[in-house]
Amino acid sequence: MTATTWNRDARPEGPGAGVDEELDVIALGRRIRYLRKEKGMTLDDICALVETAPSHLSLVENGKREPKLSLLKSLAAALGVSVDDLLGAEPPSRRAALEIELERAQRGPLYDSLGLPKVRISSRLPMDVLESLVGLQRELEHRLDEQAATPEEARRANTKLREEMRQRNNYYQEIEQEAERILKASGHTGGPLSHHRAADIAEYLGFSLRYVSNLPHSTRSVTDLKNHRIYLTQSGRADHDPRSVLLQALGHYVLGHQTPADYADFLSQRVATNYFAASLMMPEKETSAFLQRAKKERTLAVEDIRDAFAVSYESAAHRFTNLATEHLGITCHFQKVHETGILHKAYENDGVNFPADHTGAIEGQTICRYWTSRVVFDVADKFRSFEQFTDTINGTYWCTARTERHSSGMYSLSIGVPFEHVKWFRGRDTKERCQSKCPDENCCRRPPAELSSTWFGNAWPATRANTHLLAAMPTGAFPGVDETEVYRFLEEQA
């Protein structure tokens, strides 16, 4: 199965690509056998020349023993080739390539898990049988890869990544340093990053920009790595800041991303490029200094970050989580919750008790209706942020939240901190307070007794089925992206 390669340095392909030393020995053995038979020599013939036992050379040819350098030199001389020729990566024939691939597969964990007997690979194995066995192995791997891209696998990947973010306090120094280097090199001296300066950064990195009206529908941008062009579209939607879309595209290049190996890799890359874009639009030194001044004055507020750097409230909230613990010593949590109460994005390093399933995943879970992120939907004043204290089983938290409309509905965006840190924030004088006993079902999962006594057994709602929840995750190296559509787009632009 050939991997998709959209990265700058395509991963090597073929039987000898990206394998460990044991599998290289398999390729070496097949090459020695091929060259020996091409010269019409038997094992006994060549063993007499290189002074080794036929049983030993047989193990070498079958990839079960690594030859010493002295034996390799003797074999190369006997076969009339150089040592480099013996160690070459390219299989000497199609049959040799298939034999190597089958041998490699039979030594792998997938074949072991099937409990099947191993096929003896020799010159007596018919070519059509060899091709069928390799084809079956490829198809099995392909189908298992597709099965792995399930919503459950995605939730597990999210859980693992969130754990890493928690351990690092959501702070990635290596990305901060790279962003600082690029800002300095491109001439940015402070203040909000303008569209013009974002274009300067692209030019500094060697990319030209093209705005088109026919960008593939499954993409926000397309990068032509062959000609160093980035294709963008001018959209009326407010969901995505054009600067952020451009900087995320550049992030893949700057951070040296390769084609994602799986969904977890894809997700990790996406988080990294979002972080990279934020660290350019809200530089670490400038933003941390801004936050430290506000902390000293006890007026920390997410909307002030938004206004100072001309970014969205969501971007400002994310950036606060990057820097709050590292530079201010404040633990915190972030939530993005749909108007239906479903949690879409979250981060925490302050011990807040997010609802979770048996895998530890929190995405798709329902947030307690008494939390700030739910109460804010019922607040009439949508212009200012809403603040509330919430008493939970893990302690008291103060949260600030506001709602924003996106193409998929209304969302609340909230930042919360433990009670001990509220003294640094504007809005700490709020009189709003709620109590949450979740995960106790009597908190908000069950309807009040008086309503149940009246309506239990007398209501039959017609649910709105979210059919996408029943489907597997989109397959491919970049989930949901139609590769054919992207390649045809690039071909037309070229």
Side-chain angles (χ1 to χ4, degrees):
M1 184 171 61
T2 304
T4 308
T5 52
W6 288 5
N7 39 279
R8 286 173 290 160
D9 301 310
R11 286 174 177 162
E13 299 178 2
V19 296
D20 59 22
E21 291 183 3
E22 181 185 6
L23 297 184
D24 286 338
V25 171
I26 296 173
L28 171 63
R30 290 300 186 280
R31 179 173 291 277
I32 293 171
R33 176 182 293 168
Y34 174 83
L35 293 171
R36 172 176 64 78
K37 291 188 174 182
E38 192 177 49
K39 285 189 168 293
M41 302 173 72
T42 66
L43 273 174
D44 289 333
D45 293 337
I46 196 165
C47 284
L49 294 174
V50 299
E51 298 180 350
T52 191
S55 58
H56 177 70
L57 187 56
S58 178
L59 290 173
V60 171
E61 289 191 351
N62 288 318
K64 296 180 179 179
R65 180 167 297 176
E66 183 176 351
K68 294 182 178 179
L69 181 58
S70 58
L71 179 57
L72 276 180
K73 291 179 178 178
S74 298
L75 284 170
L79 295 170
V81 297
S82 67
V83 174
D84 287 342
D85 288 334
L86 282 185
L87 298 174
E90 189 66 26
S93 66
R94 171 168 169 73
R95 181 182 179 88
L98 292 171
E99 288 181 352
I100 292 169
E101 189 169 351
L102 182 57
E103 183 66 38
R104 202 169 75 199
Q106 291 189 145
R107 296 189 189 186
L110 173 57
Y111 198 93
D112 283 343
S113 69
L114 299 175
L116 297 174
K118 294 186 177 180
V119 177
R120 185 173 182 274
I121 303 171
S122 70
S123 58
R124 296 181 180 179
L125 186 66
M127 185 67 173
D128 58 344
V129 174
L130 183 59
E131 289 179 330
S132 295
L133 289 171
V134 172
L136 285 170
Q137 177 71 22
R138 290 173 179 172
E139 183 60 23
L140 179 59
E141 290 176 359
H142 174 66
R143 295 195 180 195
L144 287 175
D145 284 343
E146 284 192 341
Q147 290 174 11
T150 61
E152 182 174 353
E153 183 68 20
R155 289 195 296 272
R156 290 183 188 277
N158 266 305
T159 302
K160 184 176 180 181
L161 181 59
R162 194 172 61 255
E163 176 61 28
E164 177 196 314
M165 293 164 69
R166 184 188 301 115
Q167 291 174 355
R168 301 182 62 148
N169 292 322
N170 205 21
Y171 177 76
Y172 291 76
Q173 185 178 26
E174 64 277 15
I175 299 180
E176 300 283 4
Q177 291 173 343
E178 193 62 33
E180 182 182 6
R181 180 188 67 80
I182 290 172
L183 284 169
K184 184 177 180 180
S186 61
H188 183 65
T189 56
L193 189 77
S194 66
H195 286 68
H196 179 77
R197 185 63 70 192
D200 287 345
I201 290 174
E203 183 178 358
Y204 163 73
L205 293 171
F207 285 88
S208 60
L209 307 181
R210 299 286 188 277
Y211 274 94
V212 295
S213 59
N214 61 332
L215 202 66
H217 74 282
S218 57
T219 65
R220 288 192 292 174
S221 69
V222 173
T223 303
D224 175 355
L225 293 167
K226 182 186 295 185
N227 299 296
H228 274 222
R229 292 189 196 124
I230 298 177
Y231 294 95
L232 305 161
T233 187
Q234 291 178 314
S235 171
R237 289 175 51 186
D239 294 25
H240 305 298
D241 187 319
R243 296 170 301 167
S244 183
V245 173
L246 169 59
L247 297 175
Q248 287 168 21
L250 291 170
H252 288 294
Y253 177 82
V254 172
L255 301 176
H257 288 164
Q258 301 290 310
T259 304
D262 50 30
Y263 184 78
D265 195 18
F266 165 79
L267 188 64
S268 179
Q269 289 184 10
R270 185 166 181 171
V271 167
T273 55
N274 285 343
Y275 193 113
F276 175 76
S279 58
L280 287 171
M281 296 171 70
M282 294 165 276
E284 179 180 18
K285 288 184 178 179
E286 193 173 346
T287 310
S288 62
F290 179 88
L291 292 173
Q292 285 164 349
R293 287 194 299 270
K295 181 185 178 185
K296 185 177 181 180
E297 296 167 1
R298 299 181 180 236
T299 57
L300 281 171
V302 175
E303 58 263 38
D304 289 353
I305 307 173
R306 174 200 62 189
D307 297 340
F309 294 94
V311 296
S312 69
Y313 187 90
E314 182 173 357
S315 295
H318 278 300
R319 192 60 174 147
F320 179 82
T321 68
N322 297 153
L323 304 176
T325 306
E326 179 71 19
H327 290 283
L328 306 178
I330 296 175
T331 56
C332 60
H333 65 268
F334 164 81
Q335 300 175 70
K336 181 175 183 179
V337 177
H338 191 257
E339 56 191 325
T340 57
I342 300 299
L343 183 63
H344 278 240
K345 294 180 182 178
Y347 162 77
E348 61 82 17
N349 70 346
D350 60 359
V352 72
N353 60 312
F354 282 132
D357 65 13
H358 68 285
T359 68
I362 62 177
E363 291 77 16
Q365 300 296 305
T366 302
I367 285 292
C368 176
R369 66 175 65 252
Y370 300 118
W371 281 22
T372 313
S373 54
R374 292 287 301 277
V375 176
V376 68
F377 288 110
D378 297 325
V379 175
D381 185 355
K382 302 296 183 185
F383 187 78
R384 287 175 292 193
S385 296
F386 170 73
E387 287 85 24
Q388 174 185 291
F389 288 98
T390 309
D391 299 316
T392 76
I393 62 171
N394 285 12
T396 298
Y397 292 86
W398 173 90
C399 298
T400 178
R402 62 185 305 117
T403 57
E404 289 185 353
R405 181 166 295 281
H406 290 253
S407 57
S408 54
M410 187 74 78
Y411 289 85
S412 72
L413 303 161
S414 65
I415 286 287
V417 297
F419 183 79
E420 63 187 279
H421 294 310
V422 68
K423 59 187 175 183
W424 311 116
F425 289 82
R426 187 169 66 233
R428 61 187 176 275
D429 56 350
T430 180
K431 304 302 180 184
E432 301 291 339
R433 196 176 196 112
C434 278
Q435 184 178 27
S436 168
K437 296 180 180 179
C438 280
D440 184 346
E441 290 191 355
N442 292 318
C443 176
C444 64
R445 297 292 189 269
R446 294 177 180 173
E450 62 273 17
L451 286 176
S452 292
S453 62
T454 302
W455 293 106
F456 182 76
N458 295 309
W460 191 281
T463 60
R464 178 179 294 172
N466 294 319
T467 55
H468 67 280
L469 296 178
L470 305 177
M473 291 288 294
T475 58
F478 301 88
V481 172
D482 186 327
E483 295 174 35
T484 303
E485 186 180 16
V486 171
Y487 291 157
R488 284 177 176 167
F489 167 80
L490 290 173
E491 190 68 22
E492 290 170 2
Q493 298 302 319

